[in-house]
Amino acid sequence: MKVKLILPVLVASTILVSCKTEMTQKNIEVNYPETTKKPVIDTLFGTAVTDNYRWLEDDRSTETENWVTAQNEVTFDYLSNIPYREQLKSRLSEILNYERIGTPYKEGEYTYFSKNDGLQNQSVVYRTKGNSEPEVFLDPNTFSDDATTSLGTLSFSEDGKTAAYAISEAGSDWRKIMVMDVASKTIKEDTLVDVKFSGISWYKNEGFYYSSYDKPKGSELSAKTDQHKLYYHKLGTPQKTDVVIFGNTAAEKHRYVGGYVTEDNRYLVITASVSTSGNKLFIKDLAKPNSPLITILNNTDSDTFVIDNRGSTLYLVTNLNAPNKKIVTVDAGNPSPENWKDFIPETENVLSPSTGAGYFFASYMVDAVSKVLQYDFNGNQIREVKLPGVGSASGFGGKTDAKELYFSFTNYNTPSSSFKFNPTDGTYTTYWKPSIDFDADAYESNQVFYTSKDGTKVPMIITHKKGLELNGKNPTILYGYGGFNVSLTPRFRTTIAVWMEQGGIYAVPNLRGGGEYGKKWHIAGTKMQKQNVFDDFIAAGEYLIANKYTSSDFLAVSGGSNGGLLVGATMTQRPDLMKVALPAVGVLDMLRYHTFTAGAGWAYDYGTANDSKEMFDYLKAYSPVHNVKEGIQYPATLVTTSDHDDRVVPAHSFKFAAELQEKQTGNTPTLIRIEVNAGHGAGKPISKVIEETADIFGFTLFNMGFEQLPNPPKAKLKN
């Protein structure tokens, strides 16, 4: 899901009243804006459900705009009274002010790479030719005055002479595609508009494939988008003449459709899905004019993709009858599953493969930690790549004729570095290592296994300063996700380094619903097993408390998107467990999530309230918006969202905050921070990241009782 405020102009239904919450310890008073109730009653399976805040779903109304302004006025007034807010902002600015360089890649006559000098809001794309000095190719910081327009996909024609790139304005999932002449860096033709959830895949030098929906009626930020289509854009022609390749008929109606061309330009691969898991798979032989679509899979029972080909031999990555994934081969002329042959068989660990330089790289998760094996195209294992340490490795991808490849490595206390890899002998050298004002050697990460409510063993990595005293008084952020087959592997976050400098603990459990242990682990946290995810998260908090890492007075729970749902469900089920709750861009109204934008595609994980009485009852029993109760003291809560989030619309957060403010008892604050000109998170300018993170950390420590920072930053001595 994805304001700087002036005093709000209030309409009759949104007025400031003295709903005072006094924080006696801090001597800060909060006067919440009154949120008028306008009951809408839905009856599902004989049960009446009252929605008092349905009107907040209208993101185009003046009334909602005034409510947002009033809420932000209160929130930012509160945050401005936190005495060390500016110290946190200053320290975040210092630690993020380091040069970041992306790995290079060659297109045509040029080698490209991204670079950020430190506090640039958006990274810049540079290029070199031969031994020439790097020059700016694309600078997204110039796309808009406030740097809220970001660069998405950048893709080159086969000869590298033409580039197509997508931009996002204010964080929206809707994109525009620009076509540029590479040599002159001039725009070649009219901009393609209304593109969403799309790659850009070139066919030779002639044109490219992209995906989108018809523009919805009503608000483009919240209206439902249901029928995705794959288009082909021929260079030099207007967008209105672009041909629909797949998705234009009732039989081809799917919520997500993608298309990509194999490196040899032989095949167009088309995927079609009705949800975020499972896809149909088709190919089209581009070497034969007007060739028909060939079906590989006509059901959505698996996640299956073409990763590479050699002539008519296709290499597929699949979890069909292989929950941890495997690679199979099949001839394109007869590619149905009964003809598949195992190439890299399934193992007990989850596979995430890539190809480059004529090799396969099989990356496995072993208890969420990376292990990488290299194979040739005959299926022979060449070697295990000896990684720089215990953590997460990614990369190893590239074109078939590449002579060198690149990979990155990180863990929770080691900033991500990139390495140049020689695929012939398996050696590598450091390509780029960040120079960060952070002493990684002073911190440690340890993996533990704890027992969830039903006896399931769940891993968790806990990171903190070495020599930490286990006295139950350490400020701790417990971060989780637990859904959509997403795996949380060890990864350094520069912002979290600032938290740990303050003596903070950062704990990340690998909850069910994720992909750390394959499809079975994912399924165990979906639909009517979703409560397993919340139980795993609660048990993680209980483990940290029982082992004296922290206590309820010093525990914060944090998560975004599906993780925002996790926080919302946990804090409404166990408000006593934590001191602070930080639900970000959360899916919080589980009875209506599927009615917004592409939300219906999440039904694989959640189910919907329309599926059955049993599913409706189950969703209603944990839906955060529907489980805020009168007379409960909920933890200090800072809900965060953005006005241009068209992934998880901000109405989820609006309604949850309104329910909490109405029903909360006691003296803990319940605030909502609504970012303007931002979306679900991608492309957010660094300046906004710094401000938001300082507010979150400040709010958290402040409500744990810290009158000053536990470890105030030392003033830098000037030469």
Side-chain angles (χ1 to χ4, degrees), residues 50-70:
T50 301
D51 187 345
N52 287 316
Y53 305 115
R54 181 79 54 91
W55 62 271
L56 285 169
E57 294 178 3
D58 186 353
D59 55 76
R60 298 184 300 173
S61 76
T62 301
E63 198 172 11
T64 301
E65 181 182 353
N66 289 337
W67 183 89
V68 166
T69 301

Side-chain angles (χ1 to χ4, degrees), residues 133-174:
E133 288 295 312
E135 65 171 354
V136 173
F137 179 64
L138 282 174
D139 183 0
N141 297 289
T142 66
F143 290 174
S144 61
D145 291 339
D146 60 359
T148 58
T149 299
S150 60
L151 176 66
T153 303
L154 169 61
S155 182
F156 293 84
S157 60
E158 184 179 29
D159 60 11
K161 294 181 178 180
T162 309
Y165 64 92
I167 63 171
S168 166
E169 296 170 316
S172 171
D173 280 334
W174 290 101

Side-chain angles (χ1 to χ4, degrees), residues 3 99 144 150 193 237 241 303 357 438 466 521 582 678 691 699:
V3 229
E99 186 180 64
S144 61
S150 60
V193 298
T237 63
T241 64
D303 302 287
F438 176 72
K466 291 177 179 176
W521 194 251
L582 303 167
E691 290 171 1
F699 179 87

Side-chain angles (χ1 to χ4, degrees), residues 12 24 262 302 336 372 405 411 445 473 497 512 536 546 614 640 703:
T24 53
T262 54
S302 69
S336 52
V372 179
L405 301 173
N411 56 36
S445 286
K473 296 181 180 180
R512 280 175 284 184
D536 289 355
E614 291 75 19
T640 53
N703 283 283

Side-chain angles (χ1 to χ4, degrees), residues 4 27 32 213 299 517 673:
K4 292 174 187 178
N27 198 29
Y32 297 119
Y213 304 90
N299 61 66
Y517 293 104
R673 186 188 190 281

